[in-house]
Amino acid sequence: MRASTVKNPAAEAPKPESNYLNNGHTIASWLLTKDHKRIAILYLISVTIFFAVGSFLAGLIRAELILPRGVMLENETYNKIFTLHGVVMIFFFLIPSIPATLGNFLIPMMIGAKDLAFPRLNLLSWYLYIIAGLIAIVAIAMGGVDTGWTFYAPYASMYSNSQVSLTIGAAFLAGFSSIFTGINFIVTIHKMRAPGMTWFRLPLYVWGHYSTSIIIILGTPVVAITLLMLLAERTLHLGFFSPELGGDPVLFQHLFWFYSHPAVYIMILPGMGVISEIITCFSRRRIFGYEFVAFSSLAIAGLGFLVWGHHLYVSGQSMYQGMVFSIITFLVAIPSAVKVFNWSTTIFKGSVRLQTPMAYALGFMGLFLVGGLTGLYLSSMATDIHLTDTYFVVAHFHFVMVGGAVMAMLGGVHFWWPKMTGKMYNEHLGKLSAAITFVGFNLTFLPQFAMGYLGMPRRYHYYYLWPDFQIYHILSTAGAFVLAIGYAMPAFYLLWSLKHGKDAGPNPWGAKGLEWTTPSPPPTENFTTIPIVTEEAYNYDPELAEREETLADMLEHDYSPEGAGN
Amino acid sequence: MSTTMANSDHGHADGVFHQYENIDQQNESYIVGMWTFLVTEVMFFGPLFFTYILYRWQYQEYFWRTHQLLDIKLGGINTMILLASSFSMAMGVHYAQKKDTKRQLGMMGFTVLCGAAFLAIKLALEWAPKFQHHMIPGPQFTWPPHDGYDQSILALLHDVPRGAAEMYFSIYFGITGLHGIHVVVGMLCIAIIMFMKVRKFPQVESYIPTEMVGLYWHFVDLVWIFLYPLFYLMPR
């Protein structure tokens, strides 16, 4: 395919195998590519940049809160910074992170397809995302936005005089980027599977993305039109939400959370898929209860649409409404727990190798467990009324979204890095960064549970009326800087591995799955011949795994599967 | 649905893109993709309908009276026009299946004309007078209206609060405006397919792309089929 780039006779003489990375070197060959793997790399780079921006803003917030009267920021500046932190992290990092990078890269390869169903649409998604990001940056340059990432009406629509319109435009475009990705995934998973790849042979990662795509196509249009309505109210004075125009602001909250609660599952479900892959591979064990894990993804997606009202317990909605939402919210814990129990059982029965991706996966399980269990305090109306808008909530959603989604993202990047680049990174540094991240994370957010319970409100940039909170804030800020080290390390050793890393070979982890049957990095068309699938996913042989392990111990050197295989 | 260049390096001679095994897989992907997209469109319009439901329930009496200001005849004519366009679009797909390009283009052209007529009536005969009478929500909004309507209607309106009336027109302009944008997009998509057909692009060899655009057009029509009773017929 792509005669224009392949037909390059001046290529270096001892040309190695053609793969997606060396197939065309010009900038245009990257910016106009329709190859899902290259688009994934484009996303990976841009998502990482946004993550850095969002983390920097988080650092400012943490630094500000060291002193009870604040350190450096004005009230208004502080509002703008936490708003931008939220907008950047949610719309430009967490939502696209795993689907658009790892999902784009892996879904076609995992199901044995040459590409996604609509490559042009895929490229368009990336451009929409980039344009949205640029608009957001323009909005920052023009003074930022102070509404909080939730854009609650009527403040956002009638009173705030910051750059709300531009920011809403950015979120709207980013939403469309995600809708197109979702459509692409659904069509690809339905129609592009290789012969023999039945639904119940799909890797759980693909199930996770399928469920995510369902949420995206059902939820994202709702927030898109809601933001558009807000924009119309702000610019054209079409009344929808503002009481001044005869409207009801609670309507905005309903419509907003109808998307934004399921959006939490957009962030976490792909991460759960990643964890399922990593845990089976490094436990050398077929996952326990495949169907349960697959259907729990769909169950989370389905239930996720019925629980938005738990964000409105204190909005003045009726008590009975609150009770119903509370009960349904508790139900979400069941499929989430199913996953955790199945992973635990898989590890329990497996022969575990603690390599970098596995270290991240275990970190994910620990943090997600805390994040999930504290969710129960918030889904229960009685405790929620005490905890609403305190740091307890902040800690809870950071545990789920940062502890969960970001750990999974990092685990996934470490797991598939050899596949994406063909290079191995430094294993010791990898494990070290996973450990630092885990420690830093807990140090940052565990104190926030405590001070939230004691009454520290979120979104305040001072607490001089109760300086006792200071010790928690100092611990939290210290943790944030440890966390920053943990997050920064992979950027260095992964980039270093590009030049100096050992060649990975097609399957460095000895993993199952179609993506490991093709060379690393994969050729542009993914597979030389379309594979035919004859076995179920995760057909690991536990006995063989144990023999391999014994052999490795006997040889007394770093275990490496391809060494043992040869 | 995607527009492509004739010399596209991806397109095989038979119009099958490189990522597909054969034309059947490609066509089935288009169909699943289009229906998925239509699901997102339903969800996109959903909140506006929901908003309408909420406020109609809240301001039932006032909404009912404000309804009278819309012209049932113009709405009816527009409904007829869109129904005709849906029929001609369906015929266009039929002729595409029969490989009768001339008739297919004729039918699709008629569909585009219907879309244009719909927009013309909407903008010139419905929206423009409302702009003149300051019925567009915002600081200029004048309530109750002074003239341009007969006395029986004006008598009904005199005690409708400004907020309720403004809300009614907000939803009216919001939802018919969004629908109007969809009509424009639909016309553009049909025109693109017609252009590709005239220039004999291999990608529109199969009738499926035409059918996909047709599905979109039927969706746009269907939204109007809901809007007409909600906004025009309800008070009668």
Side-chain angles (χ1 to χ4, degrees), chain B residues 24-160:
Chain B
D24 289 338
Q25 192 188 27
Q26 175 170 328
N27 285 341
E28 284 172 15
S29 298
Y30 285 177
I31 293 168
V32 176
M34 193 64 204
W35 280 105
T36 315
F37 177 68
L38 290 182
V39 169
T40 70
E41 285 280 30
V42 170
M43 297 307 288
F44 194 63
F45 274 95
L48 279 165
F49 279 98
F50 186 78
T51 308
Y52 175 89
I53 292 167
L54 178 79
Y55 291 122
R56 193 188 157 81
W57 168 71
Q58 201 162 331
Y59 301 121
Q60 198 174 9
E61 177 67 22
Y62 303 137
F63 264 36
W64 184 84
R65 291 187 202 173
T66 317
H67 272 300
Q68 316 274 347
L69 288 175
L70 297 188
D71 191 332
I72 187 173
K73 289 193 206 73
L74 290 176
I77 291 168
N78 260 348
T79 308
M80 289 303 158
I81 290 174
L82 277 194
L83 284 175
S85 78
S86 247
F87 178 73
S88 63
M89 191 65 229
M91 290 308 286
V93 176
H94 173 74
Y95 286 124
Q97 283 168 323
K98 301 258 178 215
K99 305 246 176 239
D100 186 343
T101 306
K102 216 175 113 191
R103 286 207 171 88
Q104 179 195 344
L105 289 174
M107 284 297 169
M108 290 171 80
F110 181 75
T111 309
V112 174
L113 283 182
C114 285
F118 173 88
L119 287 176
I121 292 175
K122 176 114 259 164
L123 289 174
L125 301 180
E126 289 207 71
W127 278 32
K130 293 199 172 49
F131 276 64
Q132 280 161 13
H133 295 134
H134 296 295
M135 284 188 193
I136 179 96
Q140 301 293 314
F141 190 73
T142 313
W143 192 258
H146 303 302
D147 50 2
Y149 294 94
D150 57 47
Q151 284 307 313
S152 59
I153 292 178
L154 290 180
L156 268 178
L157 295 173
H158 78 276
D159 62 344
V160 173

Side-chain angles (χ1 to χ4, degrees), chain A residues 225 228-229 232 236 238-240, chain B residues 41-42 44-53 63 67 70 118-119 122 127 137 167-183 220 222-224 226-228 230-232:
Chain A
I225 189 68
L228 216 54
M229 284 156 81
L236 307 172
L238 293 189
F240 294 113
Chain B
E41 285 280 30
V42 170
F44 194 63
F45 274 95
L48 279 165
F49 279 98
F50 186 78
T51 308
Y52 175 89
I53 292 167
F63 264 36
H67 272 300
L70 297 188
F118 173 88
L119 287 176
K122 176 114 259 164
W127 278 32
M167 178 59 70
Y168 179 80
F169 280 107
S170 292
I171 299 171
Y172 169 75
F173 282 114
I175 199 162
T176 55
L178 189 71
H179 177 259
I181 293 170
H182 278 74
V183 172
V220 173
L222 192 67
V223 172
W224 182 258
F226 280 99
L227 291 184
Y228 181 55
L230 282 184
F231 282 100
Y232 296 80

Side-chain angles (χ1 to χ4, degrees), chain A residues 424-437:
Chain A
M424 294 303 286
Y425 47 84
N426 185 315
E427 187 63 31
H428 300 295
L429 286 174
K431 273 187 273 196
L432 185 64
S433 77
I436 293 178
T437 308

Side-chain angles (χ1 to χ4, degrees), chain A residues 401-422:
Chain A
M401 295 187 327
V402 188
V406 180
M407 282 300 244
M409 171 80 185
L410 284 169
V413 168
H414 282 89
F415 188 45
W416 284 292
W417 186 259
K419 180 50 63 184
M420 294 163 95
T421 65

Side-chain angles (χ1 to χ4, degrees), chain A residues 74-85:
Chain A
E74 296 278 320
N75 212 343
E76 205 183 318
T77 321
Y78 182 81
N79 289 348
K80 286 179 177 169
I81 285 178
F82 80 67
T83 301
L84 290 170
H85 167 69

Side-chain angles (χ1 to χ4, degrees), chain A residues 1-273:
Chain A
M1 60 161 287
R2 267 229 305 288
S4 56
T5 47
V6 176
K7 227 188 302 172
N8 179 6
E12 58 271 48
K15 196 180 171 192
E17 287 175 72
S18 165
N19 62 49
Y20 82 101
L21 287 172
N22 64 20
N23 180 3
H25 293 280
T26 57
I27 292 185
S29 77
W30 279 88
L31 292 183
L32 299 175
T33 183
K34 280 152 222 133
D35 183 351
H36 66 101
K37 298 183 288 302
R38 285 196 161 196
I39 295 172
I41 299 292
L42 292 176
Y43 264 117
L44 184 62
I45 295 167
S46 25
V47 153
T48 309
I49 292 170
F50 279 110
F51 181 64
V53 172
S55 307
F56 173 72
L57 295 166
L60 287 181
I61 295 171
R62 283 310 336 153
E64 167 73 8
L65 289 166
I66 291 178
L67 296 180
R69 282 182 185 273
V71 174
M72 61 206 159
L73 302 174
E74 296 278 320
N75 212 343
E76 205 183 318
T77 321
Y78 182 81
N79 289 348
K80 286 179 177 169
I81 285 178
F82 80 67
T83 301
L84 290 170
H85 167 69
V87 168
V88 168
M89 283 302 203
I90 301 243
F91 292 114
F92 295 101
F93 174 69
L94 282 168
I95 288 177
S97 62
I98 298 182
T101 56
L102 297 174
N104 244 333
F105 195 94
L106 291 165
I107 285 178
M109 295 179 65
M110 282 185 166
I111 64 174
K114 289 185 213 155
D115 204 326
L116 287 173
F118 307 118
R120 283 161 216 274
L121 195 65
N122 197 16
L123 184 64
L124 176 67
S125 301
W126 183 71
Y127 274 102
L128 284 178
Y129 169 78
I130 288 298
I131 292 168
L134 292 177
I135 294 176
I137 288 167
V138 169
I140 296 172
M142 290 172 69
V145 56
D146 63 352
T147 59
W149 78 276
T150 49
F151 303 114
Y152 273 178
Y155 181 69
S157 63
M158 306 293 283
Y159 302 111
S160 168
N161 49 17
S162 59
Q163 297 298 328
V164 179
S165 305
L166 270 180
T167 319
I168 287 179
F172 182 82
L173 281 183
F176 264 84
S177 159
S178 127
I179 288 175
F180 290 149
T181 306
I183 291 177
N184 229 334
F185 284 176
I186 286 189
V187 176
T188 307
I189 295 169
H190 267 278
K191 286 295 161 197
M192 312 279 284
R193 282 171 286 130
M197 180 56 91
T198 60
W199 280 91
F200 287 103
R201 284 178 182 168
L202 285 177
L204 291 166
Y205 180 83
V206 177
W207 275 106
H209 271 87
Y210 186 70
S211 315
T212 307
S213 304
I214 290 175
I215 301 176
I216 289 176
I217 64 158
L218 293 179
T220 314
V222 173
V223 81
I225 189 68
T226 307
L227 291 178
L228 216 54
M229 284 156 81
L230 193 69
L231 197 64
E233 180 161 294
R234 191 175 164 84
T235 55
L236 307 172
H237 286 271
L238 293 189
F240 294 113
F241 310 119
S242 169
E244 229 170 275
L245 303 172
D248 184 352
V250 178
L251 174 65
F252 179 83
Q253 294 191 31
H254 277 292
L255 294 176
F256 181 83
W257 288 113
F258 178 80
Y259 162 77
S260 294
H261 192 79
V264 175
Y265 305 116
I266 296 180
M267 302 169 207
I268 196 75
L269 276 173
M272 291 170 156

